[in-house]
């Protein structure tokens, strides 16, 4: 018995998705949760891991290896899905992620853990892209807005619950279960998607663009390493950072030129001819820049200045993430019902800029209620942008390019987050060191000589004068970081003004698209229950 994704001309009028589609969507959300939750859980377990495996000097590579592999693999998974079929490629990415998770849990030393985390990151690169591209196949853009709240909710749940889950697992089961916990969740996603999802099989005649894949991988790795190491592991003007910068620029420029010649390019340049797609890529980059900078510095400010507990650090972001989830849900519903979306990037740019400016006003006397309200403004702005960027980007390309459109948008957001953490972090550290020298003298400068970000234990050991100086320094550092974010986010508002409101493909509430046909007829039979 067959149960199609949109069972017929009246599917849009019914306003409900068949049970099989809902099962697939639930499985996709589980896979999305795996990708987003992993770093949050592992970050909490890192002190315990180092205590057992040793290798403190290589600690940063546990995160860096995963991030590098994820960023480099993202566009490749998207292209493979377009060439060989979405389902098989997505299931493969889940299997690779689970293999990496199992191996990471069995690691006997830090070197093995770093290598296995890279394997895990390779799989994670395909999870987010696969989720977005499959939703793009199953749900027409006009109806896709209804699921934005679900995706925003998964993101908020991962950021809030990750540290709590990681701490609980590590304390009660041991750090290895921070990786093993992925196995049952991944198995659920594999079984559900394997049994219910049926997409048309493809077999591309063209060969994979290996040269393009190598150039893009080297370029992305160089860029991520520069933004990860610059100003922390190595000085920005050091020879290593300069060489990596040169390699990154050279390979990425070479990649762009090669894509114009390749028979089956990894990232077809023609998708950037769409003004909306290019603008959404830029907006996604800036959103990533701002969001991950905020996630990094807000808990630091609240722990160092407002005296909040680090144990529940995820809960400190609740005003921002809650507002983001609610506004994303509202934006999705309005988009589905009206078919209009241009107002949301514009509104998002205004709210995000306002929220960052308000956060830059925080000082040592700012209350948690006030900072929570400021965070809610920022979260509302990001809620207008997080899913709309993907929706408009996918609506701007043909179905055959759905994978590369999804992966490119995801990649730009990932690179934006790397740049945001690096640039805002460098500005924050510089300002903190400067303030500590001015307020705390030699004692204050010595306290932050190794790192401008002190943990709770280090902060507690400081004399009262140095501790007070550090609180003022953190306030000054967050002021500079968020003020920079506000200036950068103005770009979103400018870009949003130039977005052209192209009608969304697919049926609206009346069950018909703008051309009078039904999306159901075009997509019938995509999903069937077995």
């Amino acid at each position: 018995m067959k149960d199609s994704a949109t069972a017929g001309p009246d599917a849009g009028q019914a306003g409900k998705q068949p049970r099989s589609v809902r099962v697939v969507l639930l499985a996709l959300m589980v896979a999305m949760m795996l990708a987003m939750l992993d770093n949050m859980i592992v970050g909490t377990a890192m002190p315990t891991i180092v205590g057992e495996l040793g290798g403190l000097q290589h600690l940063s590579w546990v995160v860096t290896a995963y991030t590098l592999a994820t960023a480099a693999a993202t566009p490749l998974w998207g292209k493979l899905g377009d060439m060989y079929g979405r389902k098989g490629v997505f299931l493969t990415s889940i299997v690779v992620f689970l293999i990496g998770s199992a191996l990471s849990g069995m690691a006997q030393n830090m070197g093995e853990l770093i290598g296995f985390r890279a394997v895990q990151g390779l799989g994670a690169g395909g999870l987010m892209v696969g989720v977005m591209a499959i939703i793009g196949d199953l749900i027409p853009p006009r109806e896709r807005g209804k699921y934005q709240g679900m995706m925003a909710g998964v993101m908020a749940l991962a950021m809030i619950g990750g540290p709590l889950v990681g701490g609980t697992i590590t304390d009660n089961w041991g750090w290895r279960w921070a990786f093993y916990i992925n196995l049952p969740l991944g198995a659920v996603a594999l079984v559900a998607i394997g049994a219910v999802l049926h997409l048309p099989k493809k077999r591309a005649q063209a060969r994979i663009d290996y040269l393009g894949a190598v150039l893009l991988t080297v370029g992305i790795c160089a860029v991520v390493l520069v933004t990860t190491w610059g100003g922390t592991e190595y000085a920005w003007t050091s020879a290593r950072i300069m060489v990596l910068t040169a390699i990154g620029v050279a390979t990425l420029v070479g990649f762009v030129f090669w894509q114009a010649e390749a028979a089956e390019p990894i990232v077809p340049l023609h998708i950037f001819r769409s003004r909306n797609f290019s603008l959404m890529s830029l907006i996604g980059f800036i959103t990533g820049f701002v969001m991950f900078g905020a996630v990094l510095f807000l808990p630091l400010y609240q722990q160092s200045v407002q005296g909040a507990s680090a144990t529940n650090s995820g809960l400190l972001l609740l005003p921002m993430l809650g507002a983001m989830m609610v506004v994303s849900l509202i934006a999705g519903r309005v988009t589905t019902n009206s078919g209009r979306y241009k107002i949301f990037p514009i509104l998002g740019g205004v709210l995000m800029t306002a929220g960052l400016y308000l956060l830059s006003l925080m000082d040592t006397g700012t209350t948690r209620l006030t900072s929570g309200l400021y965070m809610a403004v920022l979260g509302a702005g990001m809620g207008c942008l997080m899913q709309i960027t993907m929706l408009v980007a996918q609506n701007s390309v043909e179905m055959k390019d759905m994978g590369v459109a999804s992966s490119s948008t995801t990649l730009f957001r990932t690179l934006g987050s790397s740049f945001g953490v690096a640039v805002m972090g460098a500005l924050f550290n510089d300002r903190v060191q400067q303030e500590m020298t001015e307020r705390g003298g030699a004692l204050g400068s010595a306290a932050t000589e190794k790192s401008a970000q002190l943990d709770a234990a280090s902060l507690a050991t400081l004399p009262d004068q140095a501790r007070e100086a550090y609180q003022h320094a953190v306030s000054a550092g967050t002021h500079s970081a968020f003020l920079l974010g506000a200036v950068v986010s103005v770009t979103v508002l400018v870009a949003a003004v130039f977005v052209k409101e192209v009608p969304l493909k697919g049926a609206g509430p009346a069950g018909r698209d703008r051309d009078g046909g039904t999306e159901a007829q075009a997509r019938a039979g995509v999903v069937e229950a077995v």
Side-chain angles (χ1 to χ4, degrees):
M1 178 176 177
K2 297 194 174 183
D3 185 13
S4 63
T6 44
D10 297 327
Q13 294 175 343
K16 294 182 178 180
Q17 294 293 341
R19 180 178 59 84
S20 56
V21 177
R22 294 196 294 273
V23 171
V24 170
L25 287 173
L26 180 60
L28 292 176
M29 293 304 107
V30 171
M32 186 176 175
M33 176 74 78
L34 287 174
M36 302 196 67
L37 199 60
D38 190 77
N39 264 336
M40 300 287 180
I41 292 179
V42 173
T44 310
M46 283 312 300
T48 306
I49 294 174
V50 172
E52 181 174 328
L53 298 183
L56 178 62
Q57 67 274 23
H58 304 304
L59 176 64
S60 63
W61 272 105
V62 176
V63 176
T64 302
Y66 181 90
T67 304
L68 279 175
T70 301
T74 293
L76 304 182
W77 285 114
K79 184 60 181 179
L80 289 173
D82 285 341
M83 293 177 67
Y84 299 110
R86 209 86 64 207
K87 178 181 176 179
V89 170
F90 183 57
L91 292 177
T92 302
S93 71
I94 296 177
V95 170
V96 172
F97 180 83
L98 295 182
I99 290 173
S101 298
L103 292 174
S104 295
M106 294 186 287
Q108 298 302 308
N109 56 61
M110 191 61 78
E112 289 183 2
L113 180 60
I114 291 169
F116 296 150
R117 283 283 283 165
V119 174
Q120 194 182 21
L122 287 175
L127 295 183
M128 285 293 292
V129 174
V131 169
M132 297 300 179
I134 289 174
I135 288 177
D137 277 348
L138 295 181
I139 313 294
R142 182 68 182 269
E143 303 295 323
R144 211 172 296 154
K146 292 189 294 187
Y147 301 95
Q148 288 182 29
M150 185 188 299
M151 289 183 277
V154 169
M155 180 178 295
L157 186 60
M159 290 185 175
I160 294 172
L164 298 175
V165 173
T168 301
I169 289 175
T170 304
D171 291 341
N172 293 284
W173 298 347
W175 67 266
R176 296 182 186 277
W177 276 96
F179 298 103
Y180 292 151
I181 194 66
N182 294 327
L183 302 182
L185 294 175
V188 170
L190 275 175
V191 171
I193 292 171
V196 180
L197 178 65
H198 293 268
L199 295 171
K201 293 184 179 180
K202 302 177 184 178
R203 182 66 188 179
Q205 299 300 318
R207 296 180 60 188
I208 296 173
D209 178 16
Y210 292 106
L211 177 58
V214 171
L215 289 172
L216 183 60
T217 300
V218 172
I220 290 174
C221 288
V223 168
V224 173
L225 285 176
V226 167
T227 55
T228 302
W229 284 348
T232 52
E233 299 286 331
Y234 306 97
W236 286 105
T237 54
S238 66
R240 185 162 300 192
I241 296 299
M242 291 297 183
V243 169
L244 282 172
T245 301
I247 291 173
V249 171
T251 52
L252 291 178
V253 169
F255 172 76
V256 171
F257 279 102
W258 173 247
Q259 293 304 278
E261 304 294 330
E264 193 66 47
I266 298 292
V267 180
L269 298 183
H270 67 79
I271 63 177
F272 292 97
R273 293 175 191 157
S274 166
R275 182 172 72 183
N276 277 5
F277 183 85
S278 298
L279 290 172
M280 289 303 117
S281 298
L282 174 61
I283 290 174
F285 180 91
I286 301 299
T287 303
F289 186 106
V290 168
M291 179 178 178
F292 287 91
V295 168
L296 175 64
F297 294 112
L298 281 171
L300 177 63
Y301 168 83
Q302 292 189 304
Q303 291 170 36
S304 301
V305 179
Q306 295 182 328
S309 168
T311 306
N312 298 323
S313 56
L315 296 176
L316 302 176
L317 299 174
L318 188 58
M320 182 181 76
L321 298 173
M324 183 180 75
M325 181 171 63
V326 171
V327 172
S328 181
L329 180 62
I330 294 172
R333 288 290 179 179
V334 171
T335 300
T336 295
N337 292 332
S338 67
R340 298 188 176 278
Y341 51 82
K342 182 174 180 177
I343 184 61
F344 293 112
I346 294 175
L347 187 60
V350 171
L351 290 173
M352 192 161 70
T353 303
L356 288 164
Y357 175 73
L358 290 172
L359 288 170
S360 75
L361 301 178
M362 296 189 303
D363 56 26
T364 55
T366 304
T367 65
R368 292 190 191 182
L369 175 61
T370 301
S371 60
L373 292 174
Y374 294 168
M375 281 191 282
V377 176
L378 175 60
M382 290 192 296
C384 291
L385 297 169
M386 288 302 295
Q387 305 304 330
I388 287 290
T389 52
M390 182 65 73
L391 173 65
V392 177
Q394 291 180 336
N395 191 61
S396 303
V397 302
E398 299 178 28
M399 285 293 293
K400 67 181 181 65
D401 292 322
M402 186 68 69
V404 293
S406 303
S407 63
S408 298
T409 305
T410 303
L411 177 63
F412 277 109
R413 187 177 296 172
T414 302
L415 293 178
S417 68
S418 295
F419 276 94
V421 169
V423 176
M424 294 173 76
L427 188 62
F428 172 87
N429 292 338
D430 183 67
R431 187 68 187 275
V432 169
Q433 294 285 9
Q434 184 181 359
E435 288 288 322
M436 287 296 284
T437 301
E438 292 178 2
R439 290 178 176 271
L443 182 63
S445 180
T448 57
E449 183 178 2
K450 291 186 177 180
S451 175
Q453 300 178 31
L454 301 181
D455 57 26
S458 301
L459 191 58
T461 61
L462 294 180
D464 291 343
Q465 180 185 354
R467 190 184 307 114
E468 184 179 346
Y470 183 68
Q471 290 174 338
H472 283 280
V474 169
S475 294
T478 52
H479 166 77
S480 298
F482 286 126
L483 192 59
L484 171 66
V487 172
V488 171
S489 66
V490 172
T491 308
V492 172
L493 179 58
V494 175
V497 171
F498 291 96
V499 171
K500 183 180 180 182
E501 196 158 48
V502 178
L504 292 174
K505 303 167 187 174
R512 294 186 175 273
D513 62 20
R514 299 282 181 99
D515 299 322
T518 62
E519 186 70 17
Q521 293 169 338
R523 297 172 184 252
V526 169
V527 179
E528 54 187 17
V530 177

